[in-house]
Amino acid sequence: MTMIDETVRGAAETPAVPAYRLVGVTKTYRQKGRVVQALKGVDVEIAQGDFVTIQGPTGGGKSTLLQLLGALDKPTEGHVMIGDTDLAKASASHLEKVRAQEIGFVFQAFNLIPTLTAAENVDMGLEPLGLGKSERASRVAEALAHVGLAERADHRPGELSGGQQQRVAIARAIAKRPRVLLADEPTGNLDESMRDEILVVLEELNAEGLTLLVVTHDSAVARRARRRLRLDKGTIRDITR
Amino acid sequence: MYWTYLRRELSGRKKQTAIVAIGLAIAIALVIIVNALSAGVRDAQAQALESVYGVGTDVTVTGAQAEPGESGQGGRGPQFDFDEDGGQTDDDGTTSLSQSRLMTDFLRGTLDASTLGTVTAIDGVAAASGALSLTNTTFDGELPQRPDADAEGGTGGQEMPQQGEGGGMGGGFGGGSFNVDSFTVLGIDPADTSVGPLSAVELTDGRALEAADAGSEVAVLDASYATSSELGVGDTIDVGGTEFEIVGIVGSTSSDADTASNVYIPLDVAQELSGAGDVISTVYVQAESSDQIAAVQSALEEALPDATVSSQSDLASTVSGSLSSAGSLITSLGTWLSIIVLAVAVALAVLFTISGISRRTREIGTLKAIGWSNGRVVGQVAGESVVQALIGGVAGVALGLIGVLAINLVSPTISSAPSADSGPGGMGQGGMGGGGMGGGFGSQLGQTATDIVLSAPLSLWIVLAALLLAMAGGLVAGAFGGWRAARLSPAEALRAVA
């Protein structure tokens, strides 16, 4: 099944190269001695600049799909195209390069390094780019300002609230100026007010043209998306109303 | 960022860093102290050997070990024979006896003097010098009149008991008083002292023996012996019943050791006075180069099958006493202790690094997810291990330096002595019993025991090697940790903690 985001295409008037194009993607792996088929022939296109949520039950294949989209893993079968690059055929070093330059990651548990300050955590995302010191400092400051944490640059994660930590994680992801931002349950560990805080930040980034793919269980998050996909038992369907 | 991250990581787990660093520090300190002590013991052994064998002696040739009765001069210990006129009898009937004997080592055979020529002709021999090792024993005492002396006539000589026969004179009367004094005498070639015992001494007074002294009754004394016997240049000393003029005093180049013998006299005079004939007891051999020592030793053993040929390493084993014990202790226990502690420290570092990687699975997965290359992650993990090891290494060097300083401040004194069962040159046949014989033979015969101050010299090389060792330990731990980190797939790492 191929699902093209007609809304975005229509808005742009001219066909654009999709941010992602997945063709016949299957992923199987072994777990406790048995073979698990996490994804079964998934076909999907994600347009550039779209805001897409992926919902579904636990064990439905959401995390597996996110790992394929994030160039963290390769499909067992099929193609995962990011721009013109087929991640299924890319070498390990090419995948590293794609992760370093094209993709920003935001995790449910923030995954910040507790011994580093907010600014240093953001800087970690720039490490693989080989930028000069001043360029890095400028990008770090800009990213933190973008998420409203310029004043907290020298604070360590333990000194920040959950929402602030997630904003630092978002700053780390966007400092590299990626093509897409992948978020795995970005509001899963946050209360309602903090969730709204993060959603505002994400919506602002999307409004600036950043493609957003968010895996979520939270229907409040899904309602804010332009396009909603559901992944269940390894198959995907569009549930956008 | 590399160093910031590294520093923060290490300071963020202080306990683990401290345990690994302390383990490595103890190991490195032990390595430094053991090495310094080993060097100190080696120096002490060399010092002890030089005082006995001289500088540059690579090989010695001595007569084979002899069974009692096999060697010259009857194969017995000092024997004193007094004939009818052997003493002076006072008015109260007390007879004063005095006799001095010069003898070769009765438990070691001598070599024909021609052996020196044989040795010199061997390929690879740069220089050789012969010496005759003797012991001068003086019996001095008074014998009271026996109550039944008239009845038994009192004719004929009185043979004194042999060494080792034990104290007491037997019989049923007492009151006799005897002193037995002995000192070592070395007959050397006065024309050639470049090899052998006198090559390692310094002249403290008078002059050394010269070529013109051949055939003359002149002697050079060891400084310690001269002091204890209150003798000086210009005095005379009784050697084998002959008065020798003391022309010089020599001392060991080390303030802590004596020279090889108490008295040095010309070789030809020693041969004549001892009645041993044209023999020598030791040939001191210098090889042309150190790599020829083994070949020279083999050639000598082949050319002189009846002699005992010993190399420097053999000679080193003749140094006994607490010096030898210290050497053994340091070599065996110290080295093994260092190795074990080092192995434990490295194992601890490896285990902590690997467990650290397991604990940091999410962190490493995240780093890979945000684009860090495998090499960059491995470099970070390995760098942390190496820096951790370097901290331990530097602390270990400091600890080791303190230990070495403490040893040098305490300056323990250990004794060295040629061992009783070998002793090329006939040295070291001490402890011969003789209880009840006045001064007794026991402590007098040729045992040149010396006390040596043990130092722990430290070289820059040891410090650098210790630091390299610590770094190597860190690299081993880092390699294991890095290998573990490299194997972590980012997807699996994140899935594992999801």
Side-chain angles (χ1 to χ4, degrees):
Chain A
M1 183 173 69
T2 302
M3 293 169 292
I4 305 298
D5 185 353
E6 299 295 343
T7 318
V8 173
R9 181 177 284 182
E13 290 296 327
T14 52
V17 178
Y20 280 107
R21 180 183 169 84
L22 276 66
V23 181
V25 172
T26 297
K27 179 68 183 178
T28 56
Y29 56 85
R30 285 195 163 274
Q31 192 176 53
K32 294 177 182 172
R34 65 189 183 91
V35 178
V36 176
Q37 192 162 26
L39 297 174
K40 299 171 184 171
V42 171
D43 297 313
V44 68
E45 267 188 24
I46 309 293
Q48 286 191 36
D50 208 348
F51 181 179
V52 180
T53 57
I54 304 170
Q55 293 173 276
T58 302
K62 300 189 302 294
S63 295
T64 303
L65 179 62
L66 203 64
Q67 283 164 3
L68 295 179
L69 295 172
L72 298 175
D73 209 350
K74 287 185 179 184
T76 312
E77 285 175 30
H79 303 277
V80 178
M81 308 292 293
I82 179 166
D84 296 328
T85 305
D86 186 354
L87 300 182
K89 293 178 180 172
S91 65
S93 61
H94 196 174
L95 290 179
E96 283 173 4
K97 195 174 170 188
V98 169
R99 290 199 297 267
Q101 295 175 347
E102 313 270 349
I103 301 165
F105 256 109
V106 176
F107 305 92
Q108 178 178 355
F110 325 132
N111 291 17
L112 299 175
I113 294 166
T115 54
L116 300 179
T117 64
E120 287 163 350
N121 265 291
V122 174
D123 200 12
M124 294 292 273
L126 299 176
E127 179 78 12
L129 298 182
L131 301 172
K133 199 175 176 180
S134 60
E135 170 69 10
R136 282 171 68 160
S138 150
R139 285 207 192 188
V140 168
E142 187 185 317
L144 282 172
H146 213 120
V147 297
L149 284 177
E151 304 298 316
R152 301 291 186 119
D154 294 329
H155 288 240
R156 293 193 185 190
E159 299 162 346
L160 301 172
S161 69
Q164 288 170 330
Q165 287 186 54
Q166 193 60 297
R167 281 194 275 159
V168 173
I170 292 170
R172 180 179 64 188
I174 63 172
K176 66 172 77 165
R177 295 171 187 166
R179 185 197 292 244
V180 293
L181 181 68
L182 306 178
D184 188 2
E185 300 281 7
T187 59
N189 281 10
L190 305 176
D191 62 25
E192 211 166 289
S193 67
M194 286 181 182
R195 179 193 68 191
D196 292 340
E197 196 179 283
I198 293 302
L199 285 175
V200 167
V201 171
L202 291 176
E203 282 174 333
E204 281 175 9
L205 291 169
N206 180 244
E208 290 164 11
L210 182 64
T211 307
L212 287 182
L213 268 106
V214 180
V215 167
T216 185
H217 277 108
D218 190 341
S219 52
V221 176
R223 276 198 297 273
R224 313 277 277 263
R226 189 176 300 130
R227 187 177 175 210
R228 295 163 61 191
L229 302 175
R230 182 171 176 84
L231 195 57
D232 192 3
K233 294 178 182 170
T235 57
I236 198 164
R237 61 193 172 94
D238 196 328
I239 57 169
T240 313
R241 301 267 181 254
Chain B
M1 196 63 212
Y2 179 86
W3 293 109
T4 306
Y5 184 26
L6 191 151
R7 186 162 43 83
R8 295 285 174 80
E9 272 302 312
L10 291 183
S11 60
R13 43 187 160 96
K14 287 191 181 73
K15 205 171 180 180
Q16 178 186 319
T17 304
I19 290 172
V20 172
I22 288 169
L24 274 169
I26 291 171
I28 295 305
L30 269 174
V31 167
I32 289 176
I33 292 170
V34 166
N35 267 287
L37 274 176
S38 294
V41 168
R42 273 197 304 276
D43 289 352
Q45 278 181 327
Q47 194 177 305
L49 284 173
E50 279 184 7
S51 70
V52 178
Y53 304 110
V55 174
T57 299
D58 299 314
V59 178
T60 59
V61 181
T62 56
Q65 192 91 21
E67 292 298 324
E70 282 183 358
S71 65
Q73 301 179 340
R76 295 182 295 174
Q79 179 175 321
F80 298 93
D81 295 312
F82 295 97
D83 57 20
E84 197 170 358
D85 302 321
Q88 290 181 329
T89 306
D90 296 341
D91 294 341
D92 61 357
T94 300
T95 304
S96 298
L97 300 168
S98 179
Q99 196 172 88
S100 187
R101 299 290 307 270
L102 190 61
M103 301 180 71
T104 58
D105 177 0
F106 68 94
L107 281 180
R108 185 167 287 281
T110 52
L111 302 164
D112 191 88
S114 64
T115 305
L116 183 60
T118 309
V119 170
T120 312
I122 299 285
D123 280 346
V125 172
S129 170
L132 180 59
S133 182
L134 303 164
T135 302
N136 186 89
T137 309
T138 304
F139 181 91
D140 185 20
E142 291 180 340
L143 192 65
Q145 186 178 23
R146 291 177 64 119
D148 55 349
D150 292 342
E152 295 187 4
T155 58
Q158 297 180 40
E159 186 167 314
M160 302 315 296
Q162 298 301 308
Q163 284 183 32
E165 285 183 353
M169 298 293 296
F173 80 108
S177 171
F178 305 101
N179 272 325
V180 179
D181 183 30
S182 72
F183 55 84
T184 55
V185 178
L186 198 61
I188 57 169
D189 181 357
D192 183 11
T193 56
S194 60
V195 183
L198 286 190
S199 62
V201 300
E202 59 185 11
L203 192 65
T204 58
D205 195 13
R207 65 172 178 82
L209 292 180
E210 298 164 351
D213 289 327
S216 305
E217 286 150 0
V218 291
V220 167
L221 264 59
D222 171 73
S224 299
Y225 180 72
T227 304
S228 63
S229 303
E230 297 177 345
L231 292 170
V233 173
D235 294 339
T236 59
I237 182 170
D238 183 334
V239 180
T242 303
E243 292 294 320
F244 277 68
E245 182 192 355
I246 299 168
V247 297
I249 306 290
V250 292
S252 169
T253 47
S254 161
S255 58
D256 304 308
D258 295 339
T259 64
S261 181
N262 300 137
V263 178
Y264 300 88
I265 61 175
L267 178 61
D268 54 351
V269 179
Q271 288 168 333
E272 186 184 337
L273 267 182
S274 64
D278 199 15
V279 296
I280 50 178
S281 49
T282 306
V283 180
Y284 299 89
V285 184
Q286 191 175 59
E288 285 175 353
S289 63
S290 57
D291 54 1
Q292 285 186 300
I293 293 173
V296 166
Q297 185 177 7
S298 299
L300 287 170
E301 283 167 347
E302 197 174 322
L304 302 164
D306 295 330
T308 300
V309 181
S310 308
S311 67
Q312 271 285 358
S313 56
D314 299 328
L315 299 180
S317 66
T318 69
V319 177
S320 64
S322 55
L323 177 59
S324 174
S325 305
S328 306
L329 192 70
I330 290 162
T331 308
S332 50
L333 183 64
T335 305
W336 280 111
L337 193 65
S338 303
I339 290 170
I340 289 168
V341 174
L342 193 64
V344 169
V346 172
L348 263 181
V350 170
L351 285 175
F352 274 125
T353 307
I354 289 176
S355 75
I357 296 303
S358 300
R359 200 169 31 80
R360 293 164 69 189
T361 298
R362 171 186 286 174
E363 183 178 317
I364 288 166
T366 304
L367 290 175
K368 289 187 176 184
I370 64 176
W372 279 44
S373 67
N374 233 353
R376 179 70 179 78
V377 172
V378 170
Q380 190 73 39
V381 170
E384 287 171 16
S385 292
V386 171
V387 169
Q388 193 170 249
L390 265 179
I391 293 169
V394 170
V397 167
L399 204 61
L401 290 178
I402 291 169
V404 167
L405 187 67
I407 291 168
N408 287 331
L409 281 176
V410 172
S411 299
T413 302
I414 53 178
S415 70
S416 76
S419 72
D421 61 348
S422 52
M427 304 298 295
Q429 302 296 335
M432 301 187 69
M437 294 289 291
F441 296 110
S443 63
Q444 300 293 326
L445 291 180
Q447 182 75 286
T448 56
T450 52
D451 285 337
I452 293 178
V453 175
L454 182 63
S455 63
L458 192 66
S459 68
L460 185 64
W461 184 90
I462 291 179
V463 174
L464 287 176
L467 279 175
L468 283 175
L469 210 57
M471 275 185 68
L475 279 174
V476 169
F480 275 100
W483 170 75
R484 186 73 187 267
R487 279 169 53 92
L488 273 179
S489 140
E492 282 175 13
L494 292 172
R495 191 184 298 142
V497 295

